[in-house]
């Protein structure tokens, strides 16, 4: 696969700078994601139940902070490091998280590939709807290795994302389901808008690929929480 026609990181940042409100609804999550409220619930519940204590959290591609806020409904205070390309998103996330959490908040306006973050220090890492921006195998493996390095012993990582499939026929079946979902939520225009930016910006991988990669980079227990059409929620725990 070639990635030359895909948006640059700078182009992705610019689009997200203009789209803060769509990512600021904790009740619905983002409507372009199938089962958005359920997957937010599942990854944060899984983090809460597998990882004790949760003192430090990293939210990769935090957007307006929805997933961190969801976790803070279960455990608080937590020191939160927020990484995102988009400054308006980080500002919105900081405002919303500060209102409910007395833990320290640090903000990194950065690409996760290059963000300078402390090793083995996060009890929980969340990465929701962001890793599909990674490109070739090397990019994916480098970032998954980084996530492993950043996770504290006994800590965990939880991911929700748009996913591809190993078989083209299975992918086409799932993509049809996603098309129907988008039509039911926002009609033809919404469906075309979402398919347009996926085509320009995204290079997702199958959930099976990502589960294998989590194990390959060192995580010891890897679990699938949910999958529906082209969306999955999953995670892994680093041994003590
Ligand atoms: C689809 S939004 C999801 C936001 C949030 N996680 C949520 O679920 O509501 C993806 C976010 O990831 C950020 N992002 C995209 N690529 C990134 C990268 N390489 N490093 C850090 N953040 C990135 C975007 O700026 C955007 O805010």
């Amino acid at each position: 696969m070639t990635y030359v026609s895909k948006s640059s990181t700078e182009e992705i940042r610019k689009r997200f700078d203009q789209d803060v409100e769509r990512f600021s609804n904790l009740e619905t999550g983002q409507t372009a994601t199938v089962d958005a409220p359920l997957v937010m619930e599942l990854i944060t519940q899984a983090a809460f139940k597998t990882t004790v204590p949760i003192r430090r959290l990293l939210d990769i591609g935090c957007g307006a902070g929805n997933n961190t806020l969801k976790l803070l409904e279960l455990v608080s205070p937590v020191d939160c490091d927020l990484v995102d390309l988009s400054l308006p998103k980080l500002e919105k996330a900081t405002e919303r998280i500060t209102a409910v959490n007395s833990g320290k908040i640090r903000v990194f306006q950065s690409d996760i590939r290059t963000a300078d973050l402390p090793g083995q220090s996060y009890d929980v890492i969340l990465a929701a709807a962001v890793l599909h921006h990674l490109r070739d195998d090397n990019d994916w493996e480098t970032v998954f290795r980084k996530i492993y390095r950043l996770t504290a012993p006994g800590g965990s990582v939880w991911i929700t994302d748009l996913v591809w499939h190993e078989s083209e026929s299975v992918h086409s079946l799932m993509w049809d389901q996603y098309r129907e979902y988008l039509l039911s939520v926002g009609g033809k225009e919404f469906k075309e808008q979402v398919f347009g930016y996926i085509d320009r910006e995204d290079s997702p991988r199958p959930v099976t690929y990502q589960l294998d990669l989590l194990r390959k980079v060192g995580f010891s227990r890897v679990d699938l929480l949910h999958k529906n059409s082209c969306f999955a929620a999953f995670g892994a725990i680093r041994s003590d």
Side-chain angles (χ1 to χ4, degrees), residues 5 26 94 218 224:
S5 59
L26 199 55
T94 304
L224 177 63

Side-chain angles (χ1 to χ4, degrees), residues 26-29 35-49 66-67 69-71 73-74 126 128 158 160 225-226 233:
L26 199 55
E27 274 63 55
T28 62
D35 293 339
L38 175 64
V39 294
M40 276 199 286
E41 191 73 43
L42 285 173
I43 60 165
T44 50
Q45 286 279 356
F48 178 64
K49 285 183 189 294
N66 275 352
N67 290 277
L69 286 166
K70 203 76 203 164
L71 184 61
E73 288 178 0
L74 302 170
L126 301 176
W158 301 99
T160 64
L225 302 174
H226 182 71

Side-chain angles (χ1 to χ4, degrees), residues 130-240:
V130 59
L131 299 178
H132 59 259
H133 293 121
L134 299 175
R135 298 299 187 223
D136 63 15
D137 283 341
N138 183 47
D139 207 17
W140 279 85
E141 186 161 335
T142 305
V143 169
F144 272 53
R145 285 199 184 283
K146 181 171 189 172
I147 289 172
Y148 181 74
R149 263 200 324 277
L150 296 174
T151 308
S156 60
V157 57
W158 301 99
I159 298 170
T160 64
D161 217 345
L162 172 72
V163 294
W164 228 243
H165 299 84
E166 296 195 14
S167 145
E168 268 181 39
S169 306
V170 172
H171 187 67
S172 140
L173 173 68
M174 297 299 162
W175 198 250
D176 286 347
Q177 304 251 312
Y178 186 34
R179 178 182 296 106
E180 289 310 312
Y181 166 80
L182 291 174
L183 287 170
S184 73
V185 172
K188 190 161 178 275
E189 202 180 318
F190 181 60
K191 185 262 296 175
E192 277 169 12
Q193 182 204 349
V194 173
F195 278 7
Y197 68 66
I198 290 177
D199 197 39
R200 280 191 305 280
E201 292 179 1
D202 301 348
S203 40
R205 293 299 173 108
V207 65
T208 43
Y209 173 93
Q210 296 182 64
L211 296 175
D212 286 348
L213 196 50
L214 285 166
R215 215 181 284 284
K216 179 177 177 188
V217 302
F219 286 99
S220 53
R221 279 163 292 159
V222 178
D223 267 308
L224 177 63
L225 302 174
H226 182 71
K227 179 172 182 302
N228 189 357
S229 83
C230 293
F231 289 84
F234 51 98
I237 300 166
R238 179 175 173 152
S239 57
D240 293 334

